[in-house]
Amino acid sequence: MEDGSWMRLESNASFSLSFRECVGFMPSNEHTSIELSGTDRPGLLSEVCAVLADLHCNVVNAEIWTHNSRAAAVVHVTDDSTGCAIKDPNRLATIRDLLCNVLRGNGAVNTAKMTLSPPGVTNRERRLHQIMFADRDYERVDKEEIGRMHDKSTRPFVTVMDCYEKDYTIVTMRSKDRPKLLFDIVCTLTDMQYVVFHGMVNTGRKEAYQEFYIRHVDGLPIGSEAERERITQGLEAAIERRAYEGLELELCAEDRVGLLSDITRVFRENGLCIKRAEISTKDGKAKDTFYVSDVTGSPVDLRIIDSIRRQIGPSVLQVKHNPLLSPKQPQGTTAGFLFGNFFRTRNFQNFKLVRSAS
């Protein structure tokens, strides 16, 4: 990871792509949205939640992704006394400074910057792709670690080829099928400044095959081997970011200030690493989903989960999915997994996806 912390202050959810380790703020009337990016490590989310709780910030919604030793999050918080967005510049500066200290983690001397960006709205999951891509999570920094995280048989296979007679570049992807796969691919291509002109999607029992004919936004096909490598790495990362299939835990409880801090602290104290998380609250209820592993990235001992459930409450925390115990996926998967909520997502005016005639 390169040194350097950035902070952005915005009137609502609008974004720029040029930052590394960062804390970004986007106040609105209902909540303040905080963007986080940094080096992943055990207990990082717990430390972030503890800081927010100490600063009287209530987490109302959040999504956290980790990939290739990087972590990114979009967290919506309110003032715990008023239930409204936090707008005081001095308080935001304090939040920024303390969260930057947590993200550094290694004692490095980094700097924090704050900018005011123009208004706009971006889908939260697409924003996480943008944050992680800007953070260069597609660069493989530790081959042994990546090998432990991803079985080679489940890794995506991406190829980039020239189509000289049509002045297109052909991108093909073969990977395990899952929800929102097409969304992740097309968002990433668009954010990398490519336009999809033709495409074909095919799904089998467990595998998805995608083929896209693309050009750069300037109308030209891919012009160098370095650019082909960048596309390959970017699409592999887009497929992998939310593909973690470890133990899935679901927490349902009465919402209260500091709940997320307490839960993540218990996870940390019991040696669990949170690989992905989806946090939501509605009508006074908290419903959180956590994808976890142990500190080595290996499956979690279920005796540890039983211990945690006894501490938190067996009815509060449930094992939603255990890949080691799940039955095999039935035959005949459909394109519904692949497309997910793609067509209900806004801000995709640049997409020119049509069915291939081939």
Side-chain angles (χ1 to χ4, degrees), residues 54-330:
D54 288 343
L55 294 173
H56 304 288
C57 301
N58 186 39
V59 177
V60 293
N61 292 287
E63 189 149 359
I64 299 94
W65 289 2
T66 66
H67 176 250
N68 195 16
S69 299
R70 307 300 301 169
V74 177
V75 184
H76 296 168
V77 301
T78 59
D79 179 271
D80 67 9
S81 61
T82 67
C84 298
I86 301 167
K87 297 184 178 181
D88 177 45
N90 293 327
R91 187 175 178 190
L92 290 174
T94 299
I95 295 171
R96 175 205 63 194
D97 292 342
L98 293 178
L99 289 179
C100 280
N101 287 336
V102 169
L103 291 173
R104 293 176 190 130
N106 56 7
V109 179
N110 296 336
T111 59
K113 297 183 179 180
M114 180 175 66
T115 60
L116 183 64
S117 299
V121 177
T122 296
N123 174 277
R124 185 170 65 185
E125 294 172 337
R126 184 178 183 185
R127 183 61 191 140
L128 284 166
H129 278 300
Q130 293 173 344
I131 293 171
M132 300 203 84
F133 184 83
D135 208 22
R136 305 177 74 88
D137 74 312
Y138 52 84
E139 294 182 342
R140 304 295 185 185
V141 294
D142 187 335
K143 292 182 179 180
E144 291 185 1
E145 178 182 356
I146 299 303
R148 291 194 298 269
M149 291 170 55
H150 300 284
D151 186 323
K152 290 182 179 180
S153 64
T154 64
R155 285 280 306 279
F157 182 70
V158 179
T159 62
V160 181
M161 303 174 291
D162 294 318
C163 181
Y164 295 107
E165 63 273 18
K166 298 293 185 179
D167 283 336
Y168 290 126
T169 296
I170 305 174
V171 180
T172 65
M173 288 144 289
R174 193 180 298 275
S175 66
K176 185 175 181 179
D177 194 19
R178 61 165 175 78
K180 298 188 179 181
L181 180 58
L182 181 63
F183 174 92
D184 295 338
I185 292 298
V186 181
C187 283
T188 298
L189 284 171
T190 301
D191 291 329
M192 293 176 71
Q193 301 299 303
Y194 298 104
V195 177
V196 176
F197 287 87
H198 306 281
M200 181 186 71
V201 171
N202 187 25
T203 61
R205 293 177 57 187
K206 294 183 178 181
E207 189 176 65
Y209 174 83
Q210 300 176 72
E211 180 180 288
F212 297 128
Y213 290 71
I214 69 171
R215 291 177 184 155
H216 196 268
V217 290
D218 60 11
L220 298 176
I222 309 311
S224 69
E225 186 59 37
E227 191 174 4
R228 291 186 188 90
E229 180 66 17
R230 179 173 175 269
I231 293 173
T232 300
Q233 291 179 331
L235 292 177
E236 287 177 348
I239 294 170
E240 292 173 351
R241 283 176 191 133
R242 67 164 115 212
Y244 181 75
E245 296 183 341
L247 187 68
E248 181 179 353
L249 303 176
E250 184 177 79
L251 180 138
C252 297
E254 294 290 331
D255 189 31
R256 60 175 174 79
V257 175
L259 173 63
L260 187 59
S261 175
D262 292 341
I263 296 300
T264 54
R265 174 183 52 79
V266 171
F267 284 2
R268 184 193 70 222
E269 291 174 348
N270 284 272
L272 296 190
C273 286
I274 298 172
K275 312 305 292 185
R276 277 181 52 214
E278 299 171 12
I279 311 302
S280 63
T281 60
K282 185 177 181 180
D283 299 329
K285 301 286 186 180
K287 184 176 181 180
D288 305 338
T289 301
F290 303 94
Y291 300 82
V292 299
S293 71
D294 70 9
V295 292
T296 68
S298 302
V300 179
D301 187 334
L302 290 183
R303 290 174 295 184
I304 295 176
I305 300 301
D306 289 339
S307 174
I308 293 174
R309 293 183 66 211
R310 286 194 294 270
Q311 295 177 60
I312 296 176
S315 62
V316 173
L317 185 68
Q318 301 285 340
V319 176
K320 189 175 180 181
H321 175 65
N322 184 350
L324 298 180
L325 302 178
S326 297
K328 293 183 179 180
Q329 182 178 352

